[in-house]
Structure formats: C-alpha cells, structure tokens
Amino acid sequence: MTRLTIRRGGTRRLRASLYADIAAGERRDLTGLIAMVVDQSPNIAVPTVSICNPPALGEIEVLWTDDQTSTLSPGAGRVWLIIGLENGEGEREVLPIFTFDVE
C-alpha cells in the first residue's frame, strides 16, 4: 500500500512507478493500456488517472484538484483508491490499493 496525506483544498498529485521485475529494476511497459479508477472511498471525488509518457517507463499519475479536495473534512481519516489497467480487448488488471490520510 502507498500512503500520503491529502490536504483539504489543495491539489494533490501522486506518481507511481509500476515494475515488471522490481528486483531487476525493470519497469513495466504500459503501451496500449488505459488507466482507470476501479473503486474508491466515498468521501472524496474521483481523481484523474493517466499513464505518463513515455509509457515504457511504467508510470501512472493520479491527480485531485483544489475543488475536489475542498469538501474533505479535517481529520476525516483515510481515503482509498483502487486503480486498474485495461487493454483494448477489455481485459482488466487491478493494481494494489493506494491509501491516503486526510489532514
């Protein structure tokens, strides 16, 4: 799991690197895949999820804007997000859950 803090009313960006072989340092090639939100905590707006260029570096970016985080209550605890990757044939792979603390 990945943890970071989301501040109320502030833009928050998370960039995660996905590896085909973490021990060898080999990043996963995300060419031809689409990143999407599969499920999330109900107390936060859906973020924008994208695959960063070049997709061969295996990075995804999750972005909440100021407007999306302004409704969070201070000390609301944890929010969570499940992200998936989908190929052109509709096959989906779910990534680990990212959890965030609300400050």
Side-chain angles (χ1 to χ4, degrees), residues 25-70:
E26 181 184 330
R27 291 184 181 216
R28 181 166 175 191
D29 188 345
L30 302 178
T31 302
L33 298 176
I34 298 166
M36 65 186 62
V37 175
V38 174
D39 199 5
Q40 67 166 52
S41 179
N43 58 342
I44 192 166
V46 180
T48 301
V49 180
S50 59
I51 294 173
C52 301
N53 270 330
L57 291 181
E59 292 182 343
I60 58 170
E61 185 173 80
V62 181
L63 175 67
W64 280 279
T65 63
D66 299 350
D67 292 341
Q68 290 175 299
T69 58
S70 63

Side-chain angles (χ1 to χ4, degrees), residues 56-101:
L57 291 181
E59 292 182 343
I60 58 170
E61 185 173 80
V62 181
L63 175 67
W64 280 279
T65 63
D66 299 350
D67 292 341
Q68 290 175 299
T69 58
S70 63
T71 57
L72 288 171
S73 301
R78 292 210 168 93
V79 296
W80 48 268
L81 176 71
I82 301 174
I83 295 175
L85 297 171
E86 189 172 81
N87 65 19
E89 296 160 5
E91 296 170 322
R92 186 179 290 178
E93 174 185 352
V94 176
L95 301 178
I97 298 172
F98 298 96
T99 60
F100 307 86
D101 291 312

